[in-house]
Amino acid sequence: MAPIPKTMSGILIEETGGVEVLKWKTDLSVPELGEGEILVRNEFVGVNFIDTYFRTGLYKSPLPLVTGKEAAGTIIAVHPSVHTTDPTLQEGVRVAYVADHAYAEVTAISADRAAAIPAGLDTQTAAASLLQGLTALTFVREAAGLAQPHATGHRQLGVSEGPWALVHAAAGGTGSMLVQMLAAHGARVIGTAGGEVKCGLAKGNGAQWVVDSTSEDVVARVKEITGGKGVDVIFDGVGKATFEADLEMIARRGTLAVFGNASGPVPPVDVLKLGAKNIKLMRPVLFAYIVTKEERAAYTKELFELLLAGKVKVKIHEVYPLQEVGRAHSDLEGRKTAGKLLLKV
């Protein structure tokens, strides 16, 4: 391997705010390896809404900050302690990871956060699928309670008859993953999307019904589709703009999983509103489902198998140069995207 440089390029946030605070730097220090860590030269970095939350200060983090939560690339250095715990992680091995500080040429991560990319899966797809794919997979398993598709007697969603599932922003990165996985598990999936093009993409992802949120009354249409029953589970990454409608559309004993704030955070909730239909309200977070090495390994293995088998596909909206991360954030926040956004390092 080539010698490890002392400095690198990357994106640094020194104060919170708009996209202008994403500063391109060429003199950042390459991180030093700690116990149990590997050094990864990033090739592709995933862009996610959570990145915008740290940029704006909605989620707090010490500054200055190199943000970014997922990437894929090649191992360029391994701490000696790693050789005894996971000898498969060697220099030159391609890996994908979900960890902090990905908006840079090189990132130091705990070795147990890395997953070797299997043969047959390209680095770009691995980077594009990991965070949102793991989010969708854990939510389908843990929040919605669906067992693996081949498990007998476990195609029921939640506790009520159905199963009906609603995914907001079904043409987006996480939304498209959720739709595909729910459909693969036998759920009757309704997707919402904005405009004809995005509705077509949601349909292509596996949503049996698609409601245009820009031209249709979503609540009325969902009630019509479900025969007045409502949906057993709602996956809402939009937040503030859709929450009240969610309470109207959810079925009795249904589960409402609010996992994002694309339109702003949901205001404080009067829990008495949940009582009329015994609604279960959740705020699931991927990272609380993959705390242990075993959890991360099991879910990552299953995700890669789904990708290799073609049961889940990743649509990439655009690959931006790392220097143009501000444009990527603007496109994402402006709801101009359909699919995954990547940064090329």
Side-chain angles (χ1 to χ4, degrees):
M1 299 293 289
I4 298 170
K6 297 294 184 183
T7 60
M8 65 178 181
S9 59
I11 304 298
L12 190 68
I13 299 173
E14 297 172 295
E15 59 180 341
T16 57
V19 296
E20 71 280 354
V21 305
L22 296 163
K23 301 295 186 182
W24 168 252
K25 302 286 186 179
T26 58
D27 58 352
L28 298 175
S29 296
V30 171
E32 295 184 3
L33 278 181
E35 184 83 12
E37 289 186 335
I38 60 175
L39 209 59
V40 180
R41 187 182 300 280
N42 298 319
E43 186 177 350
F44 294 98
V45 178
V47 179
N48 300 282
F49 257 108
I50 193 172
D51 304 344
T52 72
Y53 303 156
F54 281 104
R55 190 204 76 223
T56 62
L58 178 63
Y59 289 1
K60 305 302 180 186
S61 182
L63 299 176
L65 170 68
V66 175
T67 192
K69 291 289 186 180
E70 67 174 336
T74 303
I75 299 174
I76 59 172
V78 180
H79 191 277
S81 59
V82 175
H83 295 304
T84 58
T85 58
D86 191 343
T88 65
L89 296 178
Q90 303 284 343
E91 293 180 11
V93 172
R94 293 184 308 135
V95 293
Y97 65 85
V98 175
D100 294 328
H101 315 308
Y103 281 12
E105 277 189 277
V106 177
T107 304
I109 63 168
S110 175
D112 63 11
R113 294 275 175 182
I117 301 171
L121 190 64
D122 62 88
T123 308
Q124 180 172 293
T125 300
S129 63
L130 197 59
L131 191 144
Q132 291 173 333
L134 288 176
T135 296
L137 186 56
T138 56
F139 286 7
V140 167
R141 290 275 184 275
E142 309 272 359
L146 273 73
Q148 292 186 2
H150 55 73
T152 59
H154 290 284
R155 297 181 73 87
Q156 184 82 355
L157 180 63
V159 293
S160 51
E161 65 194 54
W164 288 101
L166 175 77
V167 179
H168 285 298
T174 304
S176 65
M177 290 279 197
L178 280 165
V179 167
Q180 291 179 75
M181 291 180 186
L182 287 164
H185 285 72
R188 289 182 285 182
V189 186
I190 305 170
T192 73
E196 184 178 348
V197 172
K198 289 188 176 183
C199 285
L201 291 171
K203 192 82 170 177
N205 289 332
Q208 292 97 321
W209 297 267
V210 180
V211 183
D212 189 337
S213 57
T214 63
S215 62
E216 296 184 83
D217 183 328
V218 176
V219 174
R221 183 75 180 106
V222 168
K223 288 183 176 179
E224 177 187 352
I225 293 168
T226 61
K229 177 186 182 295
V231 285
D232 299 298
V233 63
I234 296 175
F235 290 103
D236 188 347
V238 178
K240 182 178 179 180
T242 48
F243 183 75
E244 291 299 325
D246 292 340
L247 296 178
E248 294 186 58
M249 294 184 290
I250 196 78
R252 183 176 67 89
R253 300 162 72 188
T255 298
L256 171 51
V258 180
F259 66 92
N261 320 286
S263 66
V266 174
V269 178
D270 179 358
V271 295
L272 294 177
K273 288 185 175 183
L274 309 178
K277 292 190 279 188
N278 282 349
I279 299 168
K280 295 183 286 291
L281 176 61
M282 300 183 65
R283 208 311 180 181
V285 176
L286 165 65
F287 303 107
Y289 288 135
I290 54 170
V291 173
T292 69
K293 179 180 180 180
E294 292 73 21
E295 289 169 336
R296 288 191 293 274
Y299 275 122
T300 302
K301 180 176 182 291
E302 185 177 358
L303 174 62
F304 285 165
E305 288 172 350
L306 288 168
L307 291 164
L308 287 169
K311 294 179 180 178
V312 171
K313 294 182 171 64
V314 183
K315 181 183 185 302
I316 296 175
H317 171 77
E318 186 173 343
V319 180
Y320 304 73
L322 181 59
Q323 298 94 314
E324 296 182 22
V325 62
R327 182 167 66 87
H329 277 220
S330 293
D331 289 349
L332 187 63
E333 292 174 301
R335 311 290 282 274
K336 299 176 181 178
T337 66
K340 182 69 180 184
L341 281 64
L342 288 177
L343 304 173
K344 180 72 170 70
V345 182

